Amino acid sequence: MSGRLPEGWAETTLAAICAHRSGSSKLIKGKLHAAWRPGRYQGFSASGPDVWCDGWEHEGEALVVSAVGTRCGKAFRARGRWSAIANTYVVWPDPRAVDLDYLFLHLNNEDFWVKGGSAQPFVKVRETLERPFCLPPLAEQRRIVAKVEALLAEVSAAQARLARASLVLKRLRQAVLAAACSGRLTEDVRASVAAPRAAGPPETAPGAAPAAPGPDGDEGSRRRLPASWVVRPFGALVDNHDGGRVPVKSADRERRRGPYPYYGASGIIDSIDGYLFDGDYLLIAEDGANLLSRTTAVAFPARGRFWVNNHAHVVQPKAGVALEYLEMLLNSLDLQHHVTGSAQPKLTQAALNGIPAPVPPAEEQAEIVRRARALFALADTIEERVAMAKARADKLPQAILARAFSGELVPTEAELARGEDRDHEPAEVLLRRVRGDGATPGHSKPSATPS
């Protein structure tokens, strides 16, 4: 803290009010137990309380700090009987001067620690603990902890709600795709006017309304489509241009950087100095885990001049079929019954061509695309706001702690004492009293491991 201390606070060092020692170098994580059983005690490694020991080295409360590694400076509370193993440091606060939970708020911040090393970072414990430390009165420390914990709980709840909002938006997009490709999105259009059949794919059969197979291919799971729709094999709706694809090794692409996008199974993966296609095309993933996991879209448009490797099918829709409608259709389908292979899922050209595709009249396709675009744009706007709210929420914990450690989060003990017409003990008096006792800072030495 820079500037003037809050009333009643004092400047000291953690070395003056804490004891500390390194974890036992004789206890190695790989040689300890991974699970609890009767007679075993909790062990703390640099990753936290994730091992179990046949004995214990310490009893009571302390903080165990990860001393080495990318997360060095992460702190953990230890209570009862326990051991700290190699690559950790133990800090015992003197309970007469500093509250364990208040100290945890400081120590459980990786930026609080002075560090060394680059390839293998480590905390400089002595240097950290000898820096100036601003200490509030003990009662104020406890009020700060209670307030911080309450506020952080609210932040966690808000972050959980934002995470659920992201999941809801993902489900909304899938629901829009499903409604678009089943006729539900344009029910009102068909109800208000008898739409004439436009030039497009021919009828499969007169009479009964067509049905598209459900995701498991079972007759009982077929969904009834509007009477004006037809079901055609996907291959009958497009011209396939897979024969024009040419894969280029990454080392060769490194020498051929250029202005044209180079596409793979999940979109643009590089740039290159030439192109194979020029126009409006639909690219569809041919292989990869994404065919089943659906982390990203399996179908996506490519326009202008571009290059495609052999991991994405290249198609153009026939007359009367909208490219964006086909894009939505493929992204709405569960492809697991069309994909072969497990270690490396693959959607062959034959399997792609055989997918039953429900197709509305051309005018309805255009309306479906227009409405879906509007709904996706709304979802994108909401998602941007959720992302901004999440970014703000992620910054709140540090902002809360900054106010806590500057005396701005709760009334000081001096203010409360004046308002309640009572005495209080400033931190400077507390420190003089603790030093006057002549005791070693921190707890008495920890218990030895029982034999």
Side-chain angles (χ1 to χ4, degrees), residues 127-150:
E127 187 174 338
T128 300
L129 299 188
E130 289 179 352
R131 291 184 308 179
F133 183 81
C134 300
L135 186 72
L138 199 54
E140 191 173 335
Q141 294 176 39
R142 292 168 182 151
R143 288 200 306 276
I144 289 172
V145 169
K147 185 66 173 180
V148 166
E149 290 179 346

Side-chain angles (χ1 to χ4, degrees), residues 95-443:
R96 300 168 300 172
V98 60
D99 180 79
L100 178 84
D101 293 328
Y102 180 77
L103 183 61
F104 179 76
L105 295 180
H106 283 272
L107 268 54
N108 190 36
N109 177 359
E110 295 168 37
D111 293 332
F112 175 80
W113 294 88
V114 179
K115 297 181 181 180
S118 53
Q120 181 74 318
F122 62 92
V123 295
K124 296 183 176 180
V125 177
R126 187 177 303 278
E127 187 174 338
T128 300
L129 299 188
E130 289 179 352
R131 291 184 308 179
F133 183 81
C134 300
L135 186 72
L138 199 54
E140 191 173 335
Q141 294 176 39
R142 292 168 182 151
R143 288 200 306 276
I144 289 172
V145 169
K147 185 66 173 180
V148 166
E149 290 179 346
L151 291 175
L152 292 182
E154 292 181 16
V155 172
S156 295
Q159 290 172 323
R161 289 193 294 271
L162 290 169
R164 288 195 295 271
S166 296
L167 180 60
V168 168
L169 286 170
K170 181 179 180 180
R171 290 173 176 170
L172 170 63
R173 289 188 174 93
Q174 287 300 316
V176 170
L177 290 174
C181 301
S182 64
R184 296 196 304 274
L185 192 61
T186 44
E187 283 177 338
D188 60 324
V189 173
R190 295 188 302 274
S192 61
V193 59
R197 290 293 295 173
E203 297 281 0
T204 52
D216 59 2
D218 187 31
E219 288 291 329
S221 66
R222 288 178 178 266
R223 58 182 185 273
R224 188 61 54 188
L225 294 172
S228 57
W229 289 39
V230 297
V231 176
R232 300 287 303 279
F234 184 83
L237 305 175
V238 299
D239 294 318
N240 189 285
H241 298 279
D242 283 2
R245 304 175 301 176
V246 178
V248 181
K249 294 179 180 180
S250 59
D252 294 333
R253 296 199 306 272
E254 188 71 28
R255 296 190 295 269
R256 294 186 55 185
R257 291 280 186 262
Y260 303 104
Y262 181 94
Y263 283 89
S266 298
I268 298 173
I269 59 174
D270 210 337
S271 66
I272 199 166
D273 58 359
Y275 62 92
L276 301 174
F277 301 95
D278 187 359
D280 294 341
Y281 294 80
L282 183 66
L283 306 187
I284 304 147
E286 181 174 344
D287 49 33
N290 188 56
L291 285 168
L292 301 178
S293 65
R294 309 302 285 270
T295 305
T296 60
V298 297
F300 44 91
R303 294 184 169 90
R305 295 174 174 178
F306 58 91
W307 196 295
V308 183
N309 66 17
N310 58 348
H311 296 291
H313 297 293
V314 184
V315 302
Q316 280 185 309
K318 294 180 180 295
V321 183
L323 184 149
E324 287 181 290
Y325 174 77
L326 292 183
E327 177 191 356
M328 288 190 294
L329 173 63
L330 288 172
N331 286 326
S332 74
L333 296 176
D334 182 351
L335 297 175
Q336 63 176 321
H337 296 287
H338 305 284
V339 170
T340 58
S342 54
Q344 175 70 334
K346 185 176 182 67
L347 178 64
T348 66
Q349 185 180 132
L352 173 65
N353 289 340
I355 294 175
V359 186
E363 293 92 338
E364 191 170 348
Q365 291 179 48
E367 181 63 13
I368 287 171
V369 169
R370 186 191 69 79
R371 293 187 178 193
R373 276 179 177 173
L375 290 169
F376 289 148
L378 176 61
D380 290 344
T381 299
I382 297 172
E383 191 167 52
E384 288 177 5
R385 294 178 180 176
V386 169
M388 289 189 292
K390 184 179 182 303
R392 290 194 297 269
D394 291 344
K395 294 177 181 178
L396 282 175
Q398 286 304 315
I400 290 168
L401 291 174
R403 292 195 65 195
F405 300 150
S406 61
E408 300 174 8
L409 195 62
V410 300
T412 65
E413 183 68 7
E415 291 170 340
L416 288 180
R418 279 195 299 271
E420 297 168 3
D421 195 23
R422 62 173 173 82
D423 293 331
H424 75 284
E425 184 179 54
E428 184 59 46
V429 175
L430 180 151
L431 289 171
R432 285 200 301 269
R433 181 168 55 81
V434 170
R435 288 194 293 264
D437 287 346
T440 301
H443 288 285

